[in-house]
Amino acid sequence: MADKQISLPAKLINGGIAGLIGVTCVFPIDLAKTRLQNQQNGQRMYSSLSDCLIKTIRSEGYFGAAVNLTLVTPEKAIKLAANDFFRHHLSKDGKKLTLLREMLAGCGAGTCQVIVTTPMEMLKIQLQDAGRIAAQKKLMAAQAQLSSSPAAAAEPAVETRPTATQITRELLRSKGIAGLYKGLGATLLRDVPFSIVYFPLFANLNKLGQKDPNVKAPFYVSFLSGCVAGSTAAVAVNPCDVIKTRLQSLQRGVNEDTYSGILDCTKKIWQREGPTAFFKGAYCRALVIAPLFGIAQVVYFVGIAEFLLDMLPKHRA
């Protein structure tokens, strides 16, 4: 973010706009990331990012992003505004922040955002992974029919998928508000380190493009800095993202493991799938996060929210 002080409403609006634009651009890749991370050894439905996208589009058409678009606005707004808030209060008399203080500001931002991130991710994962589970069931049913007599073949079941509203109601009914916050610990383990890495890295990369400390870097420098910092932080915390995704998945495919917690999940993945499993979907996540945060920095640079807020009095006159 620019060093100049921006009002809280402007920060929240900029963060929300950035989130909406970013999610619209990268949602298909995010869906592929979830499915690649969730599939375990055995019945593998997808071999790569492109294979997942092609099969998904063929069987399901273009996939909606309603949950992300609804909740990413407050999520990104909280994350970006909280980082600015903590940076401002950790600075001493306007002096340059030390790396440690930059990391502390990022830590605060990552902690604040999980209020919205956890239920958003919880619902998103159920909806995104439903297609993989359904495709696996169809494949298993087809294999079972081939191995049985025609008379014994079962009629194909009509696949009905729950909506985000139905999932939310069921979780609230059965487990209360805690149901929406399943995987909170794993989400913290992902988002706090991400923000600790991302915000200081972005700030220092962005400064390289500043010819004068009092003048903002060009918008393309902010965009590239956001992309590089975002993709670096995303890959760094991908093991935590894999664990979070597995813990938040309510449905499992055939012969797939269930987990009782973070340690149990980590142990089973390491023993049964090997250390490389912790980096499943890492390149997908980098492809998602890079433009998402690059766009966020450009939105802040352009100052869309400031422009909109400045226009309000003119309309009232």
Side-chain angles (χ1 to χ4, degrees), residues 84-111:
D84 276 1
F85 172 84
F86 287 115
R87 286 179 69 90
H88 174 68
H89 285 277
L90 286 169
S91 63
K92 291 184 177 180
D93 301 323
K95 293 182 180 179
K96 180 182 176 181
L97 284 172
T98 63
L99 178 60
L100 177 59
R101 287 177 181 269
E102 288 182 328
M103 294 172 70
L104 285 173
C107 178
T111 303

Side-chain angles (χ1 to χ4, degrees), residues 62-286:
Y62 192 81
F63 9 87
V67 171
N68 284 47
L69 291 174
T70 301
L71 295 178
V72 77
T73 303
E75 188 253 351
K76 281 292 175 288
I78 290 171
K79 186 186 190 79
L80 297 172
N83 179 69
D84 276 1
F85 172 84
F86 287 115
R87 286 179 69 90
H88 174 68
H89 285 277
L90 286 169
S91 63
K92 291 184 177 180
D93 301 323
K95 293 182 180 179
K96 180 182 176 181
L97 284 172
T98 63
L99 178 60
L100 177 59
R101 287 177 181 269
E102 288 182 328
M103 294 172 70
L104 285 173
C107 178
T111 303
C112 290
Q113 78 171 85
V114 298
I115 297 169
V116 177
T117 303
T118 306
M120 179 184 76
E121 292 276 330
M122 183 69 186
L123 296 174
K124 182 193 76 172
I125 286 170
Q126 313 318 315
L127 297 171
Q128 286 185 340
D129 205 39
R132 182 185 70 90
I133 301 295
Q136 191 183 78
K137 287 179 179 178
K138 287 181 181 179
L139 181 60
M140 296 296 290
Q143 291 174 346
Q145 286 183 359
L146 288 174
S147 61
S148 63
S149 62
E155 293 184 6
V158 178
E159 190 67 38
T160 57
R161 299 181 194 174
T163 64
T165 303
Q166 290 172 334
I167 294 172
T168 302
R169 287 175 178 171
E170 177 57 29
L171 285 171
L172 291 173
R173 185 193 64 78
S174 60
K175 300 181 180 179
I177 193 68
L180 289 174
Y181 281 88
K182 181 182 180 183
L184 174 61
T187 305
L188 279 167
L189 282 177
R190 182 197 68 174
D191 289 349
V192 171
F194 177 93
S195 294
I196 289 173
V197 173
Y198 171 78
F199 285 110
L201 182 56
F202 166 77
N204 286 281
L205 287 174
N206 195 51
K207 285 176 185 175
L208 296 176
Q210 290 179 277
K211 294 180 180 180
D212 186 288
N214 298 318
V215 179
K216 291 191 297 185
F219 79 93
Y220 61 86
V221 173
S222 294
F223 175 77
L224 291 174
S225 298
C227 289
V228 172
S231 57
T232 301
V235 173
V237 302
N238 198 76
C240 298
D241 191 50
V242 172
I243 294 168
K244 181 201 71 65
T245 300
R246 297 282 183 95
L247 288 176
Q248 288 187 320
S249 298
L250 298 177
Q251 290 189 323
R252 302 290 177 190
V254 179
N255 300 322
E256 290 184 344
D257 290 325
T258 56
Y259 311 104
S260 60
I262 294 173
L263 293 177
D264 181 56
C265 182
T266 304
K267 181 180 178 182
K268 286 180 178 177
I269 292 174
W270 182 278
Q271 291 179 340
R272 301 176 188 182
E273 301 176 58
T276 57
F278 290 104
F279 287 92
K280 285 183 176 180
Y283 59 96
C284 296
R285 184 161 163 75

